[in-house]
Amino acid sequence: MTLRGEGSPAGLLLAAGEGSRLGRPKATLELHGERLVDRGVRMLRDAGCSPVVVVAGAEPIEVIGAVVVPNPGWRDGMGSSLRAGLAALPPGCPAAVVALVDQPLVTPAAVRRLIAAYEEGAEIAVATYGGAPRNPVLLGAGHFAGVAEAAVGDQGARGYLRAHPELVTPVACDDVAAPDDIDTPDDLAAMNAAFNRREPR
């Protein structure tokens, strides 16, 4: 899949957190025998993203099919990981899809919808569920610098998007994905149950 004749979007998977409430880093947590980081990379690749960049932090990780970028400042929050990931994208990258490692029910179909919206002219495309904006988010290259500047603490792209609502195209993904994240052992148990009911496409 191509974007406006400029090549494929990159995939950016934020996977640096320590998972304090889980007691272990989320990236290497396994869901049905597959690490969350591997699942996230596979999802982005299946959607057509290339290259896929993984931002690591609390735990060194190796991932097949992705470029791993360490974020020494991961304790500062998600914003630092987003900045590190955007800085690592190759020159000329036309857009990037930002996804979170702890949302394994996000699917290639949802990412493909964001890419389609971009191809149709969207500057920034955000997946929505029940009308509420969540993740993933596609950023056109013209907004990388602004997003990076606004990404502070645990705030990723949210501050930039709220400051520029006219640039944001909402993309409904309720029927193909879910934004549920894994923060606690109870979340993991619920995710396993949800996974059994709804294998992401």
Side-chain angles (χ1 to χ4, degrees):
M1 181 178 290
T2 59
L3 286 178
R4 300 177 179 178
E6 298 170 335
S8 298
L12 182 52
L13 186 68
L14 305 186
E18 65 180 340
S20 57
R21 285 185 284 172
L22 270 167
R24 57 173 296 184
K26 296 178 183 181
T28 54
L29 189 70
E30 290 192 359
L31 182 65
H32 281 236
E34 183 179 28
R35 297 186 307 171
L36 292 186
V37 65
D38 295 318
R39 184 177 184 83
V41 167
R42 176 168 58 83
M43 182 273 295
L44 289 167
R45 287 174 60 88
D46 287 353
C49 295
S50 180
V52 174
V53 174
V54 175
V55 181
E59 183 176 21
I61 51 178
E62 294 184 3
V63 187
I64 296 174
V67 177
V68 178
V69 175
N71 173 24
W74 63 269
R75 290 181 180 84
D76 294 335
M78 185 191 304
S80 67
S81 290
L82 181 54
R83 292 195 304 272
L86 290 172
L89 295 176
C93 176
V97 176
V98 182
L100 307 182
V101 76
D102 66 349
Q103 294 184 335
L105 297 182
V106 170
T107 63
V111 173
R112 285 192 289 266
R113 286 188 183 179
L114 300 184
I115 294 173
Y118 180 80
E119 290 179 328
E120 292 169 3
E123 293 282 333
I124 297 172
V126 179
T128 67
Y129 307 87
R134 293 290 299 273
N135 289 292
V137 176
L138 183 147
L139 306 170
H143 303 286
F144 289 173
V147 168
E149 183 177 357
V152 294
D154 277 325
Q155 183 168 266
R158 186 185 311 156
Y160 186 83
L161 271 55
R162 286 180 175 172
H164 302 280
E166 74 282 359
L167 299 174
V168 178
T169 298
V171 179
C173 293
D174 308 73
D175 59 325
V176 294
D180 308 56
D181 51 17
I182 299 176
D183 287 326
T184 68
D186 286 345
D187 292 339
L188 179 59
M191 189 68 69
N192 272 293
F195 183 90
N196 288 333
R197 293 193 304 268
R198 179 181 185 178
E199 170 64 21
R201 285 152 283 188

